[in-house]
Amino acid sequence: MPDTMVTQNKTGDSPMVVDDRQNGLFKVHRKTFLDDEILHMEREKIFNRCWLFLGHASELPNPNDFLTRNVGGKELIFNRDRKGEFHAFLNTCPHRGAMVERQESGNSIAFKCFYHGWAFNNNGNYATRHQKGTYPENFNHDGCANLVSVKLEQYRDFFFVNYDDGANSLDSYLGDSKMILDLIDQHGPNGMEVVGGAQKYSIRSNWKLLMENSYDGYHALDTHETYFKYLTDAIGGPAEMPKITNVMDLGNGHASIEGDAPWGRPVAKWIPAWGDKAKTEVEEIKREVVSRVGAEQANRICQLGRNTGIFPNLVINDIMAITIRTFYPVEAGEMNVTAWALGVKGETREFRKRRLDNFLEFLGPGGFATPDDVEALESAYRGYAAYKLAPWNDISRGMSRAEGEPFKADDEEQMRCFWREWNRRMGGE
Amino acid sequence: MAEQNKATNAAEQPLARSAYEDFFFEETAMLDEWRLDDWLALFTEESVYEVPRAGAPDNADSAEDLFYISDNYFRLGHRVKRMLDKAAHAEWPRSVQSHLISNVRITGSDEQGVHVTCRFITKRAKNDVTDTYAGHHNYILKTIDGKLKIMSKRTFLASDSLRDQGKVTIIL
């Protein structure tokens, strides 16, 4: 790799990303967040080519279950057919385009368009009878009247779609981030499940800022001062940030930060606020994890926590609770966020409540932390309006560390992983 | 024992509807005027304040469903403390709000207290953006030492997401 990599913006002559390894400087041009042509390029080169998170197997436990979801700007049906096989279809009638399923979820052996009544089996096949002579004898011999399938692959219980027929396999795309999904899946002996619906909200800012923010270990104490004050009271001692942290470059633009944080974890780190009975239960859960996956992996599951970004827009926070979060640009300055909670299948009501409490007290639109992140992202976006006079974001923190010295979570290497991949995909052809 | 329970668990006697209306008008004034310590004092120490996710049914359960807010008195106290803290960036400088209450109905009473429901519209303005929250509150209220106290307040949003508003950083 060259010492300096500069990508020219096709719309002009200013570079979008400056990766100056010799001088330890990494800069991103603020136009990157504002420009409609860049957003258009992102839709073509990123959202239409990368593997995008669709859903979790636990959301469709039975044959004929379905849900509808907008992924990368396209309306999809994610479902299981009569045999239990998983499918992803574009939720648009091949006849004149109306959505063939308009409910958020349900169980159905077929989909029927309300506009002209075209019907489809839940394996996507056209299933309407017409009077003889209405259509040619060989109508639909090429499948033109079937629902359009979308490329669908899974790793463990995580399902992803890809709109690019020529895309590499999900397995190779995920690279080392599979290790993070393994850790998540091993929290419980019977796997994991999505719990109790989704939080859907919006942020008036550019989508890439939320990716940065989701594994930014540098902002925590300043942005989330009030949460740490609350936590100090809740855990009955000073809520200090971890002293030792890791940054993992997981390849292909994916990255994670890992550390030992001060909050309790349902699996399985006790805090005094939960009481003595919970202590016994947490220790029992921990013993089960150790016996199942070994001491080292159990330590990562129970004691440490991680914020992971899977390129381009899947965030998994395995911290005081486990979130799955995706977000898509509505326009350059607005994104829609969807966040789900993952819990251990079969955990007790008490622990489930503890997990959801942990989730909403920090995360989400009513939490003590996320709204302050949102304020920061929206505030930055307003600042970018002056990009011609103040053109650069600085993402150099920790870049000059000596050869071999590991990056820390409050460095910005994980963001540089994202931006290098973004840069490659946007300018590399 | 059963008889004793019956005696101590007698249903709370409802007051006239106007008493609850006056109570809500006073509560909304406290919120509009950011007198949050006064507002917190309306709650008992056993109380809960909950905002289930948009579109959730009235019987949504915070042990099974993902909420926006599910505060016991301890966390509610911290929520107020946080909102009054300059470091609560989402509410600093603080937003301008207007809470409207209407359609007040007494829907029942039991040993927990009187169940009262009302509809609300709350406007919040900050950074030159005005958001509207609409929905209904379900209260359980009890007269303690001659004063109405909140045993439980659940706020249901009449929308299917927070795509418009983005967040709930105020008391609705």
Side-chain angles (χ1 to χ4, degrees), chain A residues 39 52 78 109 122 133 165 173 207 209-210 231 251 311 314 318 330 362 379 398:
Chain A
L39 176 64
L52 305 174
F78 177 35
I109 56 164
N122 63 6
D165 283 342
Y173 180 86
W207 69 277
L209 290 179
L210 183 55
L231 191 61
F311 192 90
L314 171 61
D318 174 11
V330 179
F362 184 89
S379 155

Side-chain angles (χ1 to χ4, degrees), chain A residues 242-261:
Chain A
K243 302 257 181 321
I244 299 166
T245 55
N246 306 314
V247 173
M248 293 170 275
D249 178 346
L250 303 167
N252 299 343
H254 320 312
S256 186
I257 59 172
E258 184 174 62
D260 183 352

Side-chain angles (χ1 to χ4, degrees), chain A residues 195-202 204 222-227 229-230 233-234 334 336-341 349 352-353 356-361 365-369 371-372 374-375 378 382, chain B residues 50 53 61-71 74-76 78-79 81-82 85-93 124 126-131 160-169:
Chain A
V195 181
Q199 293 179 337
K200 298 178 190 174
Y201 52 103
S202 59
R204 294 172 181 113
D222 287 301
T223 308
H224 304 312
E225 186 183 327
T226 63
Y227 172 74
K229 283 181 187 167
Y230 162 74
D233 214 6
E334 191 185 345
N336 279 343
V337 186
T338 307
W340 296 272
R349 179 179 165 86
R352 189 50 70 80
K353 168 75 175 157
L356 293 173
D357 269 355
N358 273 4
F359 189 117
L360 59 83
E361 80 184 10
F368 285 6
D372 297 331
V374 170
E375 183 77 7
E378 293 184 346
R382 288 158 71 204
Chain B
E50 294 186 313
R53 74 194 148 77
D61 180 349
S62 64
E64 293 174 3
D65 300 304
L66 186 56
F67 281 30
Y68 302 132
I69 295 171
S70 175
D71 287 351
F74 173 77
R75 192 157 57 204
L76 189 59
H78 271 278
R79 186 173 295 278
K81 208 186 276 186
R82 167 179 144 75
D85 189 332
K86 202 177 152 172
H89 312 295
E91 283 300 327
W92 195 91
R124 170 191 186 267
K126 186 169 190 278
N127 299 334
D128 301 321
V129 175
T130 302
D131 288 311
D160 41 19
S161 71
L162 282 174
R163 295 283 192 230
D164 278 354
Q165 304 86 352
K167 51 181 137 15
V168 185
T169 54

Side-chain angles (χ1 to χ4, degrees), chain A residues 263-279:
Chain A
W263 43 70
R265 288 165 62 79
V267 178
K269 193 174 148 216
W270 179 80
I271 50 166
W274 291 351
D276 289 340
K277 184 170 163 279
K279 188 175 190 178

Side-chain angles (χ1 to χ4, degrees), chain A residues 148-175:
Chain A
V148 175
S149 278
V150 174
K151 202 175 163 99
L152 175 72
E153 289 184 23
Q154 79 185 100
Y155 182 74
R156 290 186 176 264
D157 283 342
F158 292 82
F159 280 85
F160 294 75
V161 289
N162 197 310
Y163 300 123
D164 177 9
D165 283 342
N168 288 334
S169 70
L170 176 66
D171 194 76
S172 70
Y173 180 86
L174 289 175

Side-chain angles (χ1 to χ4, degrees), chain A residues 117-134:
Chain A
W118 280 33
F120 310 89
N121 294 331
N122 63 6
N123 60 10
N125 287 335
Y126 178 69
T128 313
R129 286 174 197 280
H130 290 285
Q131 276 186 340
K132 210 170 155 58
T134 307

